[in-house]
Amino acid sequence: VIYGCYSGDRYLCLCENEMQQTKIVDFIEKKNKKDYSALAQVSIKFGVYEITDRTTTVEQMCDRALLAVESISGRYDQTVAVYDDNMREKMLREKAITNCMETALAENQFVVYYQPKVNLKDNSLAGTEALVRWINPKWGFMNPGEFIPLFEKNGFISRLDEYVWESVCRQLKEWKEKGLPLIPVSVNVSRIDIFHPHLVELFQSLLERYDISPYYLHLEITESVYTEHSEQIIDTVNRLRHLGFVIEMDDFGSGYSSLNMLKDICVDVLKI
């Protein structure tokens, strides 16, 4: 057995493959629970790469083992992952998306669609929700479930959100200038956005630039955001409500929140 420190808190171990992969995984998980269960604040993850081609470079072997670890990062229900080619394909896909996201934003490849909200009492149009979609010249219409989580992970979501906010304000101004009746539009405010030091000022400047009332810009914040750093979030939400923005809590009840948390947080709309 050869083992040692790779970098930082990453360690590598090379051992003979005398067991099947499933047995290796079971062995590591049992040993992990036995030896490290007392270390409540330490999360240990294992990535397994089985060497089937001896011409593969050591660097590639290490990268693949670490890629397996990365696939379960942040998950508390899994401590071991075994590398497969699907992981590599996913990594290459994510890298390709990351490489062209700046160009996509500059070329307006992101398009805002408006999903109507209907009042069930009289079937009247009560508002809309702004949904961003990516129409890539090479890949075509992309599923938001593919690029949104990646943008949330790499931080680009804040740039995309600002792009959507401005697009919505521009659309509201266009409707206003054409004499069309205005309806509220809901926009997403991501976890990263809520900790922006000048978020309130940013929204203020958008309203002033496009001469829009804050009533027509509803801000959607998912319930999971409220579970972290609640004091800062409550302060930001209160400042936005004071300016006239309507605050919506999205996905209420899907996480760890409860009706009890609503006594501390002022929201105008609950999306259940």
Side-chain angles (χ1 to χ4, degrees):
V1 178
I2 301 173
Y3 57 87
C5 180
Y6 181 73
S7 66
D9 58 355
R10 294 179 172 181
Y11 297 84
L12 297 175
C13 176
L14 176 66
C15 58
E16 292 185 11
N17 187 4
E18 298 177 348
M19 298 183 288
Q20 295 179 345
Q21 281 192 10
T22 53
K23 292 183 178 180
I24 293 174
V25 171
D26 290 341
F27 172 76
I28 293 176
E29 287 184 333
K30 289 178 181 178
K31 188 168 182 59
N32 184 41
K33 291 178 181 178
K34 178 182 177 182
D35 296 348
Y36 307 112
S37 59
L39 303 176
Q41 302 302 318
V42 177
S43 176
I44 301 175
K45 304 290 185 182
F46 299 88
V48 178
Y49 171 66
E50 182 181 8
I51 303 172
T52 55
D53 182 1
R54 290 179 178 269
T55 63
T56 304
T57 66
V58 174
E59 184 179 11
Q60 288 177 320
M61 295 176 186
C62 296
D63 287 342
R64 292 173 183 180
L66 294 173
L67 187 61
V69 173
E70 188 66 27
S71 70
I72 55 173
S73 176
R75 293 185 57 175
Y76 297 98
D77 60 335
Q78 190 173 350
T79 58
V80 184
V82 179
Y83 172 86
D84 60 37
D85 288 335
N86 290 331
M87 290 182 182
R88 182 173 180 274
E89 291 176 6
K90 181 182 178 183
M91 179 193 68
L92 293 175
R93 175 69 170 177
E94 289 184 351
K95 186 176 181 180
I97 292 174
T98 301
N99 288 342
C100 66
M101 63 187 185
E102 292 281 357
T103 301
L105 192 64
E107 295 181 352
N108 296 317
Q109 294 176 17
F110 295 103
V111 181
V112 178
Y113 287 78
Y114 295 91
Q115 179 173 276
K117 296 180 181 180
V118 178
N119 188 326
L120 295 180
K121 291 182 179 180
D122 55 11
N123 289 327
S124 63
L125 186 62
T128 66
E129 180 177 357
L131 304 174
V132 65
R133 297 294 182 262
W134 186 356
I135 304 178
N136 185 281
K138 179 180 178 181
W139 302 319
F141 191 94
M142 296 179 61
N143 188 332
E146 180 178 22
F147 64 86
I148 292 295
L150 177 59
F151 290 170
E152 289 176 341
K153 186 167 62 174
N154 64 24
F156 189 73
I157 191 67
S158 59
R159 297 272 306 281
L160 182 59
D161 283 344
E162 290 181 29
Y163 173 89
V164 172
W165 301 339
E166 184 151 11
S167 297
V168 168
C169 289
R170 190 184 303 114
Q171 182 65 75
L172 284 168
K173 182 181 180 180
E174 183 179 329
W175 288 339
K176 182 179 178 181
E177 291 177 343
K178 289 182 177 179
L180 299 174
L182 294 185
I183 54 175
V185 180
S186 300
V187 297
N188 286 314
V189 179
S190 305
R191 182 188 303 269
I192 296 177
D193 300 327
I194 206 70
F195 297 114
H196 191 297
H198 305 295
L199 179 65
V200 176
E201 290 76 14
L202 177 59
F203 276 118
Q204 276 184 305
S205 66
L206 283 173
L207 296 181
E208 293 171 1
R209 190 183 317 154
Y210 293 97
D211 190 26
I212 300 297
S213 167
Y215 170 78
Y216 294 106
L217 198 62
H218 291 198
L219 308 182
E220 276 193 15
I221 306 173
T222 58
E223 64 138 32
S224 59
V225 175
Y226 291 95
T227 61
E228 299 179 11
H229 308 285
S230 57
E231 291 185 6
Q232 181 177 347
I233 293 170
I234 291 172
D235 178 66
T236 301
V237 168
N238 287 341
R239 290 176 63 195
L240 290 168
R241 291 188 76 250
H242 181 73
L243 291 174
F245 288 99
V246 175
I247 306 298
E248 302 180 356
M249 183 185 289
D250 195 12
D251 294 333
F252 180 78
S254 62
Y256 300 100
S257 62
S258 64
L259 292 174
N260 188 52
M261 72 178 292
L262 297 179
K263 65 180 175 56
D264 300 317
I265 299 172
C266 294
V267 296
D268 303 288
V269 179
L270 278 183
K271 295 183 67 177
I272 301 175

